[in-house]
Amino acid sequence: MEVKKDILWRVYLSFIGIAVFGVVIIGRAVYIQQVQGDTWREMAKEQQQKIFDIKAERGSIYSEDGSMLSTSIPYYDIYIDFAADGLRQKGGKIFKDNVDSLCYYMAAFFKDKSAAEYKKPMLVGYKKKNRYFLLRKNISFREYQEIKKFPLLKLDPNKGGMIVQANSKRLMPFGLLANRTIGLSRAFVDSNGETRTMNVGLEYTYDSVLKGEGGKRLMQKLSPGVYVPVEGSEIEPEHGKDIITTINVNIQDIAEQALYSVLKENECEYGTCIVMEVATGKIKAMANLGRTSKGDYTEDLNYAIRTSEPGSTFKLATMLALLEDKQINLNSTVDLEGGQWKVGGRTVFDSEEHGLRVVTMKKAFMASSNVAMAKMAVAHYTKDPIQFIDHLKRLRLHEYSGVDLKGETPPIIKTPKSRTWSATSLPWMAFGYEVAVSPLQTLMLYNAVANRGTMMKPYLVSAIQKNGETVQQFEPEVLVDKIASEQTIQLLKESLNGVCNEEGGTGYKLFLGAPYKVAGKTGTALMANGNKGYSEHIYQSSFAGYFPADAPKYSCIVVVRNKPFAKKYYGAAVAGPVFKTLADKLYALDAGYKDNPFQMPAKKDSSTYLFAGATDELSLVAKTLGLNWLDSSQAQSWGRFYALEGKSVLRGQELDKQKMPDVRGMGLKDALFLLETVGLKVTVKGRGKVVQQSVAPGTTILKQQVVQLELN
């Protein structure tokens, strides 16, 4: 009996415990819900929300004339929230009334799927209450503007459910034009799975200016990996600023085309061409092309700021030192010994077999004699090499150029304290070996000579703008007031003139017959190729100078690395033609303008007529009128009839629908006919004859391109 009572008592206590525990649980639940409910609900909500970064729109890069070189264009991903209140009300009336029309419009606009193919997944998404149904991905701004007018999508987002996710990608409207100089802004995923940006060129140097300040946006989690914006919960980004470069699109295009033509013809490894405005240091063009595995060329590296042994273009620095120290004058003589001279157990060779003996220093420079430079350096600086090296340092050849581009490789100017200094370092340095400078550094020296001894800092960006207003302006900067005395500068100019304009100069034949004068220097350097050394006979061809020689406007350097065992490798034969093509076309572009520095003194001639039309028609007119004319045209080409030094000249122009024709000097009727024939759209300013066209002659024509003509 006692045992039975004990069991009943235990059961009773258990029921009491369970009841008390239940009351506690219920009480706790009521307390959490009524007292702490708001707090816990907010915490749960916060776990479903996340702050996302909003990328700022990257600024654009423009040429000096306002042409867009690099910009960010928007693209959009369009989603539909099928759980939106408006789409679920009244049995989904809004959705049912609009889905067929929306699918019809989508099919008609994008033409990639039928209306039925659009509708089927939408019905599934609606049934599942998909809150992030992807309707269309990567559409352009124009497409986005259109589909906002479509049924359902044109409604308020709470009714129609449209969610727009904006993105951007970098676009270069001119393609590969100055690609390595302008640079890249490209997103990639690193080894840790994080998205990073790779920038080079101006995109890299001015990244902090271009990228702007990102914003923040609160997003609500709908399902794993799917978030939608919380309305009114964001900090707007501050978009990046724009930069205005010194690049001239026409000059850049000419430089690239001229460089490409020579590289392709000679199967060269790579090349660079830089054009600088003499008075300011503004870089007007910087072309870089490297050979691909398929044998074509692309802008792969910025060779303009990569150092190497410069070869004979460096001789200008040696001449400057000798002349400035009064060790020589241009009439001082030197025995070239037929082009070979032994010193310190090594033999100095002249690159060309000239067989010359005793000549003046000017003639030796014109003939690009290594022997002459080595002999003079040994004779006058062996006792004190630092005296020679100090001149190189005053020319800043031991420092970075200072150009506003990151990625320059360090220059090398040896001193007697250098680990690799030897008994033959001085003579070899005198003709451009055992030193390493970039093409841009060499150009700075030539530009300084052209600029009466004043060395300018090279630069690529002239202004920073925000919303079209300039917030920072960059002005020309002088690095060295005078690299040498006026007398020395004048003698250097005379020497450079001799190279291109006097018989015996290595550049003389190159510029024969040109209507303007060039001053410059050729260079041919034998280059080492890693462990193979010099065995593959790889030469670097170069040409540096300025034009027009009497009133310099542009300085330019061309450097080309040739293939192994190339048959043609001299500077005048490989780099020189690029320089000449560039100078010829710049002369043609500037011809006829008041500020034309190339303009040669014209003979008085009252005949200023210019007629344009088919050459066979113009020829018939000339014969009928009994004119005595020079005919340099081809049959059935487009022709110009004009007066030159009292004579009538008929010149033809082949029509290539891929290239921009030259219409300067024509009447509007002729110009319109010609430009519209090749598929261009034309806008016109002024009256009279065409004095300027916005797209340079010979430039590749883009689809739907507009050319503006200025008449006077």
Side-chain angles (χ1 to χ4, degrees):
M1 190 66 180
E2 290 295 327
V3 173
K4 189 174 181 180
K5 284 183 178 181
D6 183 61
I7 292 172
L8 290 172
W9 180 247
R10 287 183 180 181
V11 170
Y12 175 73
L13 289 177
S14 296
F15 276 116
I16 293 294
I18 291 170
V20 171
F21 182 73
V23 170
V24 171
I25 292 296
I26 292 170
R28 181 64 177 168
V30 170
Y31 176 77
I32 289 173
Q33 185 175 10
Q34 299 299 321
V35 180
Q36 294 182 319
D38 290 342
T39 301
W40 286 105
R41 276 190 291 272
E42 191 62 33
M43 289 178 66
K45 186 177 180 181
E46 287 178 1
Q47 289 179 350
Q48 298 297 313
Q49 292 179 341
K50 187 176 180 181
I51 294 176
F52 285 80
D53 292 328
I54 306 175
K55 287 186 178 180
E57 185 177 313
R58 194 171 180 84
S60 299
I61 300 176
Y62 295 90
S63 68
E64 64 172 356
D65 67 350
S67 298
M68 190 175 287
L69 301 177
S70 181
T71 191
S72 292
I73 61 169
Y75 64 97
Y76 303 87
D77 297 338
I78 308 298
Y79 299 86
I80 297 179
D81 177 8
F82 282 130
D85 292 341
L87 291 180
R88 313 306 301 189
Q89 291 177 357
K90 298 180 180 180
K93 184 177 187 309
I94 291 179
F95 175 74
K96 293 175 182 177
D97 288 348
N98 287 277
V99 64
D100 287 329
S101 299
L102 173 59
C103 294
Y104 171 80
Y105 274 86
M106 292 289 291
F109 185 69
F110 289 106
K111 295 181 174 60
D112 59 339
K113 291 188 289 187
S114 67
E117 288 173 316
Y118 272 104
K119 184 177 179 180
K120 185 176 180 180
M122 289 183 70
L123 292 175
V124 174
Y126 181 78
K127 184 177 181 180
K128 293 182 176 180
K129 296 184 180 181
N130 190 330
R131 303 211 64 181
Y132 219 57
F133 175 82
L134 177 61
L135 180 64
R136 194 79 193 184
K137 197 173 181 66
N138 289 339
I139 66 171
S140 68
F141 178 74
R142 183 187 66 83
E143 292 170 330
Y144 169 55
Q145 292 295 98
E146 285 298 316
I147 72 169
K148 283 199 306 180
K149 304 172 186 176
F150 290 0
L152 196 68
L153 304 183
K154 66 183 178 181
L155 301 177
D156 181 275
N158 290 325
K159 291 184 177 180
M162 184 169 77
I163 299 171
V164 181
Q165 184 174 311
N167 305 288
S168 67
K169 52 187 172 184
R170 210 62 174 162
L171 174 71
M172 300 180 75
F174 285 91
L176 291 178
L177 189 77
N179 179 262
R180 200 67 190 185
T181 302
I182 297 166
L184 307 170
S185 178
R186 185 173 296 162
F188 69 99
V189 179
D190 65 15
S191 57
N192 297 319
E194 295 182 6
T195 300
R196 298 174 60 192
T197 302
M198 178 187 73
N199 294 331
V200 298
L202 292 174
E203 293 274 13
Y204 176 40
T205 305
Y206 289 90
D207 183 59
S208 61
V209 173
L210 291 163
K211 71 180 181 181
E213 291 290 334
K216 301 288 183 182
R217 175 182 290 140
L218 183 64
M219 304 281 279
Q220 178 72 40
K221 186 176 182 180
L222 296 180
S223 60
V226 178
Y227 290 82
V228 294
V230 176
E231 189 175 352
S233 301
E234 64 181 48
I235 300 172
E236 290 291 336
E238 182 180 341
H239 298 314
K241 299 179 182 69
D242 301 327
I243 62 176
I244 311 301
T245 72
T246 61
I247 294 290
N248 181 298
V249 173
N250 289 337
I251 299 177
Q252 179 72 35
D253 184 55
I254 292 168
E256 287 192 7
Q257 292 299 323
L259 182 63
Y260 175 83
S261 178
V262 166
L263 295 180
K264 189 74 174 176
E265 179 186 350
N266 296 287
E267 300 179 338
C268 303
E269 292 185 6
Y270 61 76
T272 185
C273 175
I274 317 168
V275 182
M276 188 186 295
E277 191 173 73
V278 169
T280 63
K282 291 180 179 179
I283 295 175
K284 295 299 182 182
M286 184 178 279
N288 295 280
L289 293 173
R291 187 176 172 87
T292 68
S293 58
K294 295 181 179 180
D296 206 355
Y297 292 87
T298 187
E299 288 234 358
D300 55 349
L301 293 172
N302 198 330
Y303 302 104
I305 56 176
R306 296 172 70 87
T307 58
S308 64
E309 290 179 314
S312 294
T313 53
F314 195 81
K315 291 171 184 172
L316 186 65
T318 302
M319 284 289 284
L320 182 147
L322 291 165
L323 290 167
E324 188 72 357
D325 290 338
K326 309 294 185 186
Q327 301 291 352
I328 64 165
N329 58 52
L330 296 188
N331 292 319
S332 300
T333 57
V334 58
D335 188 352
L336 304 186
E337 303 193 24
Q340 295 184 29
W341 180 61
K342 288 188 176 182
V343 57
R346 297 174 68 186
T347 302
V348 177
F349 293 94
D350 283 344
S351 59
E352 297 190 44
E353 296 181 7
H354 49 67
L356 297 174
R357 298 292 302 188
V358 178
V359 297
T360 65
M361 280 302 296
K362 180 182 176 181
K363 288 288 187 182
F365 183 81
M366 288 167 51
S368 196
S369 172
N370 297 337
V371 171
M373 298 301 145
K375 274 193 167 185
M376 291 298 105
V378 168
H380 299 294
Y381 295 114
T382 296
K383 292 182 180 179
D384 186 11
I386 294 298
Q387 185 181 359
F388 174 69
I389 292 163
D390 281 346
H391 280 289
L392 305 184
K393 290 184 175 181
R394 277 193 288 273
L395 297 174
R396 300 176 60 91
L397 293 170
H398 67 306
E399 300 181 38
Y400 291 108
S401 70
V403 70
D404 44 350
L405 274 179
K406 294 181 179 179
E408 283 189 87
T409 53
I412 299 172
I413 298 295
K414 287 184 179 181
T415 73
K417 293 182 180 180
S418 300
R419 182 176 57 85
T420 55
W421 183 268
S422 69
T424 57
S425 289
L426 180 62
W428 258 255
M429 288 173 67
F431 56 90
Y433 287 81
E434 296 199 27
V435 296
V437 295
S438 69
L440 183 56
Q441 286 176 290
T442 302
L443 181 60
M444 289 167 64
L445 169 58
Y446 281 75
N447 194 82
V449 172
N451 199 29
R452 300 179 180 178
T454 301
M455 180 174 283
M456 306 301 297
K457 180 181 178 179
Y459 67 107
L460 277 157
V461 172
S462 59
I464 296 173
Q465 292 186 345
K466 184 175 179 63
N467 299 324
E469 294 185 5
T470 299
V471 296
Q472 188 174 358
Q473 189 82 34
F474 298 96
E475 301 295 339
E477 182 180 336
V478 174
L479 293 178
V480 183
D481 284 324
K482 285 291 181 183
I483 61 171
S485 66
E486 289 186 15
Q487 181 183 7
T488 296
I489 295 298
Q490 193 55 43
L491 293 174
L492 292 175
K493 284 187 172 184
E494 187 178 334
S495 301
L496 292 170
N497 264 295
V499 171
C500 300
N501 301 298
E502 295 181 28
E503 196 165 355
T506 52
Y508 174 65
K509 293 181 181 179
L510 189 63
F511 298 100
L512 273 176
Y516 56 89
K517 287 188 176 181
V518 169
K521 180 75 185 70
T522 60
T524 309
L526 181 62
M527 310 303 292
N529 186 18
N531 296 331
K532 296 179 181 179
Y534 297 97
S535 63
E536 291 190 322
H537 296 276
I538 298 175
Y539 287 89
Q540 182 168 282
S541 309
S542 55
F543 193 102
Y546 51 86
F547 53 91
D550 298 331
K553 182 176 182 181
Y554 299 114
S555 61
C556 175
I557 187 169
V558 180
V559 178
V560 173
R561 179 72 67 95
N562 295 282
K563 66 178 182 180
F565 305 105
K567 294 181 180 180
K568 186 165 66 172
Y569 55 82
Y570 287 121
V574 179
V578 179
F579 190 105
K580 185 177 187 300
T581 298
L582 182 74
D584 283 347
K585 292 194 174 182
L586 288 184
Y587 169 78
L589 281 175
D590 284 355
Y593 295 103
K594 293 179 182 178
D595 61 348
N596 174 22
F598 299 104
Q599 196 69 44
M600 305 300 288
K603 295 181 180 180
K604 291 184 178 180
D605 186 352
S606 61
S607 302
T608 56
Y609 57 87
L610 185 148
F611 301 100
T615 53
D616 52 354
E617 293 174 347
L618 295 178
S619 177
L620 177 61
V621 170
K623 289 177 180 177
T624 303
L625 295 175
L627 293 177
N628 181 21
W629 83 99
L630 299 174
D631 188 354
S632 61
S633 67
Q634 296 181 3
Q636 307 206 347
S637 63
W638 184 264
R640 294 165 174 264
F641 224 158
Y642 61 99
L644 179 66
E645 297 182 352
K647 295 180 180 178
S648 300
V649 178
L650 174 57
R651 179 169 65 86
Q653 178 181 182
E654 289 299 316
L655 273 187
D656 179 353
K657 291 194 175 183
Q658 306 300 319
K659 301 291 183 182
M660 176 64 61
D662 186 358
V663 297
R664 290 167 302 174
M666 293 184 183
L668 179 58
K669 185 177 179 180
D670 287 330
L672 284 174
F673 177 83
L674 184 55
L675 294 174
E676 290 175 354
T677 297
V678 296
L680 288 160
K681 295 183 178 180
V682 184
T683 61
V684 180
K685 290 174 61 178
R687 294 182 178 181
K689 293 185 177 181
V690 179
V691 294
Q692 190 169 1
Q693 58 188 76
S694 62
V695 182
T699 303
T700 300
I701 296 173
L702 304 176
K703 191 174 182 180
Q704 300 296 316
Q705 189 167 10
V706 177
V707 57
Q708 182 172 322
L709 304 181
E710 291 187 20
L711 279 58
N712 188 5

